Amino acid sequence: MLSKFLKQHSGPLTADLVQEPGHFGLGKIPSRLKPHATTTSICGYCATGCQLKLHLDEHGQAINLSPQSGYPVNLGMACPKGWQALDPLDAPDRATTPLFRDATGRHSPITWTEALDIFTSRLKSIRAEHGHESVAFLSTGQIPFEEMAFLGCLFKFGMGFLHGDANTRQCMATAVTAYKQSFGFDAPPYTYADFEESDVIVLVGSNLCIAHPILWQRIMRNPRDPKIIVIDPRATETAQAASQHIALRPKGDLPLFYALAHCILRDGRTDPASLARCDGLDEFTAFLGDYPPAAVTDATGLDIDAIETLARTVSEPGKRVSWWWTMGVNQSYEGVRAAQAMINLALITGNIGKPGTGANSITGQCNAMGSRLFSNTTSLVGGHDFADPEHRAKVSDGLGIPLENITAEPSLAYDQIFDAVEAGRIKALWIIATNPFHSWIDRARLDRLRDKLDLLVVQDMYHNTESALAADLILPAAGWGEKEGCFINSERRIGTLKAVRQAPGLALSDFRIFRLIANAWGCGELFTQWTDPQAAFKLLRDLTANRPCDITGIDDYEMIDRLGGIQWPWPKDSSRNSSTTSGERRLFADGNYYTPSGKAKLLFSPPAPPPEAADADFPFTLLTGRGTSSQWHTQSRTAKSDILRKLSPAAPYIEIHPDDAARLGLKEHDLARIRSRRGEMLASVYLAPTMRPSQVFLPMHYPEVNRLTHPSFDPHSRQPNYKACAVSITSAHP
Ligand SMILES: Nc1nc2c(c(=O)[nH]1)N[C@H]1C(S)=C(S)[C@@H](COP(=O)(O)OP(=O)(O)OC[C@H]3O[C@@H](n4cnc5c(=O)[nH]c(N)nc54)[C@H](O)[C@@H]3O)O[C@H]1N2
Ligand SMILES: Nc1nc2c(c(=O)[nH]1)N[C@H]1C(S)=C(S)[C@@H](COP(=O)(O)OP(=O)(O)OC[C@H]3O[C@@H](n4cnc5c(=O)[nH]c(N)nc54)[C@H](O)[C@@H]3O)O[C@H]1N2
Ligand code: SF4
Ligand SMILES: [Mo]
């Protein structure tokens, strides 16, 4: 069957591929794995980074899995997505051959040779006519970082284009910018053990029970009887399980944190040693003069007592306080300052660099942290800076790429790439492992922009995602389980993936696709060292020398597995390296930050009004986010599992307070029409006393939701403000 398929579809390049070492597509069985054995892999969904144990048949193919008991992250646990991680690989709608839109507008199968020819000839002619800024890539936090780095280096240093960004912009850009500005490097300081060692755990805009269930389990293991405070407009599953829910007004975070800092400084509940390691205290103290609790009651929806009490709780002398945030903070028009306001609170109270403390961003996708260091999008590969000539020279040396290929010019951010498409300056997009035709804010704009593109290439596991359906050219990709490489989880732990399944049909790992493209483009000689993921890993490892993310002490994948994953930094011959998995490490224990002065910066600016507030025409504030632990984003993977499908509603639903529903004449399961200034959708009514009146919630997993969202962005991080816009609601029944 496979050989017949190969005969029909393969060109000379395919034969060449089959002979490449380490390639597991096209009928090759992973040679390093013994039949009937087990192996391990980090889960390919969320950034918790659980390790799964894969059970193999006599051909070395995974037939089942279970969570790995000894792994220091998940300690034998997994959520439903992890347990069902093999299901999406067997789906009938896997992309199994390159597809090209023919003259009739239909996607027809073509060979890899044809696909590469179309890819290179079309993009080269666009480049010749419109220059090196006329093509951009949009990629992901969900492939191994060896692949991300290959893409970023190939596209920018080999093919000579400038603009590329990733869906991590939708997700982590705010945390990245906040950390870079405050600490001098994108360095989440914590280790998961901090969940178990904290006395006060403050979760801000973070619904762990749904989005990171295993991290919630880690909190449940805390023996110190911690106070768990959830700050979220909704009484989420996590808020209900916590000791205290603070139902603040959407986007009330920034004024609330300033009021807390005001009280703490006013009452002298600060940590002198930590304050001495901060720059900007005088300016911050003066600024906070305008933020006594009384000044923020409107913006936060909280009374003065509640704010004063919270201020005392998070500054209790001798108590270990940890701050944790996710998308309720990052996805805001002022997310960077809100994240930094939490960083400031941790700094002034001395809650950093010690067990059970920290200002801790919980990451979203399995390899968002890998993307932050290696994707060559916002930072130069290996945790470097494009603008720094020494960094460019170091990367040029390390990768054997001519210095003149490594430009200092920054890339446009995601939203700016779409602006450039609109303006006719970007003519082609290459989308890899992300589905923006569903997930991008105000996504109807993408449908309109589609016609402005001369070429849209989508590289995905499936041929029928919203983005693939819009594409001219579809490149079929192998997925998690079908390839090797590394992910980095939220606590900076590097872990490995294994190829335990044969990719279907002609699907190839992204790594192989990038190799083929490098050769077809004519820049293959720049990437001769990138023979397979482990070779790329070693190149990238060496690039990190003397950076905060230095991992030069890691020998190879085998060492990562042997040590139960390795948290960065892990420099050569360092006394901080540990040969045991219990050697959990947090950053900043010595009070030294990565800024030029060695001190952390207290950064702040006055809160701004929301870009789109509810009004008479659109009287509800729409919140969006994760719906259930069994649904992943645009559901191209999770909807393939019979079991996961049974654990979540198939059709969109809207959570609305019963009083609001009654006023609108809506009953449970009625169909409601939700309108914003951008578009409208239908959703079934779900009566939720967990919502505050005049606020509603839609899970992001349904493609219609981003027809409503408002395209506003944080000015520092350019992260979309997904979490709040104004909508109206009416009954959809005549
Ligand atoms: N099951 C599942 N798990 C996932 C994912 C998934 O798709 N499905 N995706 C992964 C990814 S990539 C990410 S980024 C994470 C996201 O993980 P989370 O950020 O925890 O999830 P969200 O539901 O997007 O948002 C969290 C909360 O922010 C609240 N919120 C909204 N506005 C505000 C506000 O102004 N202030 C505050 N304080 N809170 C607000 C929302 O009510 C929501 O409960 O989850 C990861 N895990
Ligand atoms: N309204 C609203 N919108 C949101 C959010 C929100 O809270 N509210 N959250 C935002 C956030 S935080 C995120 S992270 C984004 C996520 O948004 P997306 O990244 O668009 O969502 P996914 O469904 O994860 O898309 C990943 C795609 O990659 C494909 N894929 C998986 N593995 C591989 C692989 O190995 N190789 C290749 N080539 N393809 C692969 C999958 O089939 C899938 O189509 O959504 C954002 N959108
Ligand atoms: S919690 Fe995250 S990493 Fe762990 S099994 Fe679930 S999706 Fe996978
Ligand atoms: Mo995300």
Side-chain angles (χ1 to χ4, degrees):
M1 175 70 191
L2 184 67
S3 58
K4 188 168 160 222
F5 196 77
L6 273 176
K7 271 193 202 113
Q8 283 168 357
H9 292 287
S10 59
L13 280 162
T14 324
D16 159 54
L17 261 176
V18 175
Q19 284 153 19
E20 283 194 48
H23 171 67
F24 306 138
L26 304 173
K28 277 225 145 181
I29 288 167
S31 53
R32 260 169 266 178
L33 303 176
K34 292 196 184 73
H36 292 306
T38 59
T39 186
T40 60
S41 230
I42 303 300
C43 172
Y45 287 107
C46 90
T48 302
C50 300
Q51 194 182 59
L52 305 172
K53 183 176 181 183
L54 292 140
H55 307 261
L56 311 176
D57 70 8
E58 68 270 28
H59 306 296
Q61 303 277 302
I63 44 172
N64 211 337
L65 62 79
S66 49
Q68 178 73 349
S69 53
Y71 201 63
V73 169
N74 49 316
L75 314 166
M77 301 176 276
C79 84
K81 295 184 297 302
W83 276 103
Q84 301 311 128
L86 291 169
D87 294 4
L89 303 178
D90 300 325
D93 52 355
R94 285 294 300 270
T96 52
T97 174
L99 295 169
F100 188 58
R101 195 181 292 286
D102 63 21
T104 69
R106 294 208 356 247
H107 282 143
S108 305
I110 53 172
T111 64
W112 268 110
T113 314
E114 289 165 331
L116 292 167
D117 187 45
I118 293 166
F119 184 94
T120 49
S121 63
R122 297 282 288 271
L123 293 190
K124 280 190 178 207
S125 79
I126 291 171
R127 193 179 197 287
E129 198 177 335
H130 303 285
H132 77 301
E133 296 200 50
S134 58
V135 181
F137 75 76
L138 296 174
S139 116
T140 187
Q142 297 179 56
I143 58 179
F145 63 70
E146 294 83 347
E147 298 188 337
M148 295 171 175
F150 201 165
L151 169 65
C153 294
L154 166 66
F155 191 79
K156 293 192 175 180
F157 309 153
M159 297 162 73
F161 291 113
L162 179 60
H163 301 302
D165 205 356
N167 62 5
T168 40
R169 182 75 65 175
Q170 286 149 276
C171 184
M172 299 318 304
T174 289
V176 171
T177 311
Y179 281 137
K180 274 190 182 170
Q181 292 180 351
S182 295
F183 295 156
F185 195 77
D186 174 19
Y190 63 98
T191 183
Y192 289 156
D194 290 322
F195 280 121
E196 296 169 16
E197 296 178 17
S198 204
D199 298 311
V200 179
I201 297 173
V202 193
L203 296 165
V204 186
S206 182
N207 191 4
L208 286 191
C209 290
I210 295 297
H212 301 91
I214 302 308
L215 296 184
W216 179 256
Q217 294 305 320
R218 295 292 300 263
I219 292 181
M220 291 296 96
R221 288 165 49 93
N222 184 320
R224 305 170 70 92
D225 190 22
K227 197 167 172 67
I228 307 165
I229 302 171
V230 170
I231 303 182
D232 194 307
R234 305 187 299 137
T236 59
E237 295 77 356
T238 314
Q240 292 172 48
S243 353
Q244 189 188 353
H245 173 213
I246 295 183
L248 100 165
R249 228 164 241 161
K251 304 296 157 257
D253 309 76
L254 189 56
L256 172 63
F257 299 149
Y258 288 154
L260 297 178
H262 173 105
C263 300
I264 290 167
L265 283 166
R266 179 198 63 200
D267 299 345
R269 291 165 76 94
T270 50
D271 180 273
S274 184
L275 281 183
R277 302 302 307 151
C278 296
D279 278 327
L281 181 62
D282 292 345
E283 297 83 343
F284 189 43
T285 310
F287 168 83
L288 290 175
D290 292 340
Y291 297 94
V296 305
T297 48
D298 269 0
T300 58
L302 305 175
D303 60 33
I304 295 175
D305 263 3
I307 298 170
E308 293 279 359
T309 308
L310 181 61
R312 283 194 298 276
T313 308
V314 299
S315 62
E316 205 63 62
K319 292 280 182 203
R320 301 167 171 185
V321 180
S322 56
W323 293 85
W324 308 83
W325 80 86
T326 319
M327 290 307 123
V329 172
N330 280 357
Q331 293 173 340
S332 160
Y333 64 96
E334 51 191 6
V336 169
R337 287 294 182 254
Q340 286 168 335
M342 269 179 284
I343 292 173
N344 296 350
L345 285 165
L347 287 168
I348 63 174
T349 57
N351 277 299
I352 194 133
K354 302 172 198 152
T357 67
N360 305 329
S361 139
I362 303 171
T363 308
Q365 305 170 74
C366 47
N367 205 14
M369 290 285 290
S371 163
R372 286 154 78 157
L373 294 184
F374 292 113
S375 66
N376 211 28
T377 52
T378 49
S379 301
L380 178 59
V381 60
H384 295 94
D385 188 350
F386 282 102
D388 185 326
E390 277 180 28
H391 285 187
R392 292 201 301 279
K394 182 179 164 199
V395 169
S396 159
D397 265 5
L399 298 182
I401 284 175
L403 188 56
E404 62 270 23
N405 291 25
I406 303 181
T407 166
E409 281 176 280
S411 165
L412 292 176
Y414 214 117
D415 65 305
Q416 297 164 330
I417 288 174
F418 291 139
D419 290 345
V421 173
E422 180 129 57
R425 284 183 285 119
I426 287 185
K427 299 285 184 187
L429 286 180
W430 178 16
I431 294 176
I432 302 102
T434 182
N435 187 11
F437 281 76
H438 171 144
S439 60
W440 184 247
I441 200 159
D442 183 23
R443 73 161 178 108
R445 180 172 183 227
L446 260 65
D447 297 336
R448 297 194 294 276
L449 292 183
R450 171 65 195 93
D451 293 338
K452 297 208 132 208
L453 290 171
D454 293 346
L455 187 70
L456 175 62
V457 183
V458 171
Q459 184 166 318
D460 202 287
M461 292 169 66
Y462 304 98
H463 60 74
N464 56 0
T465 67
E466 287 81 4
S467 304
L469 290 175
D472 300 303
L473 177 64
I474 299 175
L475 302 178
W480 176 93
E482 297 165 344
K483 57 186 180 182
E484 290 187 332
C486 292
F487 290 161
I488 308 181
N489 78 354
S490 280
E491 51 160 5
R492 311 182 316 283
R493 187 182 299 272
I494 301 162
T496 69
L497 318 184
K498 311 291 184 331
V500 292
R501 277 291 183 87
Q502 181 181 301
L506 296 179
L508 298 174
S509 73
D510 295 291
F511 197 90
R512 291 294 137 193
I513 298 175
F514 302 143
R515 264 183 78 85
L516 285 178
I517 288 175
N519 289 332
W521 192 268
C523 60
E525 78 284 356
L526 294 180
F527 298 97
T528 48
Q529 299 181 83
W530 300 62
T531 48
D532 58 68
Q534 183 148 231
F537 171 83
K538 290 181 179 171
L539 275 177
L540 298 169
R541 169 198 66 192
D542 294 346
L543 274 188
T544 64
N546 304 318
R547 297 299 295 152
C549 57
D550 191 328
I551 50 167
T552 48
I554 302 180
D555 297 338
D556 51 20
Y557 287 170
E558 191 278 326
M559 178 177 179
I560 298 174
D561 285 345
R562 185 162 32 85
L563 295 189
I566 296 179
Q567 286 174 291
W568 68 254
W570 192 270
K572 260 201 175 80
D573 308 323
S574 162
S575 59
R576 288 194 68 207
N577 295 357
S578 155
S579 58
T580 64
T581 50
S582 57
E584 304 237 357
R585 280 137 357 111
R586 58 188 64 76
L587 304 175
F588 311 132
D590 56 3
N592 282 327
Y593 297 88
Y594 304 116
T595 53
S597 70
K599 294 184 178 182
K601 285 191 192 147
L602 297 169
L603 295 164
F604 49 89
S605 41
E612 191 185 56
D615 59 17
D617 294 333
F618 297 94
F620 289 89
T621 300
L622 169 66
L623 309 173
T624 67
R626 277 74 197 156
T628 67
S629 65
S630 58
Q631 287 167 295
W632 181 256
H633 298 158
T634 74
Q635 297 210 74
S636 30
R637 283 191 283 162
T638 44
K640 303 301 174 336
S641 162
D642 289 342
I643 291 178
L644 295 182
R645 267 203 319 278
K646 287 199 179 81
L647 297 176
S648 58
Y653 61 97
I654 182 161
E655 297 187 11
I656 180 168
H657 192 275
D659 294 349
D660 283 334
R663 219 167 16 84
L664 296 168
L666 289 167
K667 298 187 302 302
E668 186 100 284
H669 303 311
D670 278 358
L671 205 56
R673 187 181 308 279
I674 304 116
R675 280 203 187 87
S676 79
R677 289 184 180 83
R678 274 82 42 207
E680 64 173 62
M681 66 176 280
L682 301 177
S684 150
V685 168
Y686 178 77
L687 296 181
T690 50
M691 297 303 301
R692 299 291 291 255
S694 84
Q695 296 172 17
V696 290
F697 177 78
L698 282 170
M700 64 158 300
H701 311 295
Y702 307 96
E704 299 82 3
V705 172
N706 277 317
R707 296 198 174 280
L708 308 180
T709 43
H710 181 257
S712 40
F713 303 89
D714 181 282
H716 306 280
S717 68
R718 304 230 54 86
Q719 178 152 347
N721 175 34
Y722 280 112
K723 288 278 186 271
C725 72
V727 294
S728 69
I729 299 171
T730 51
S731 168
H733 298 287

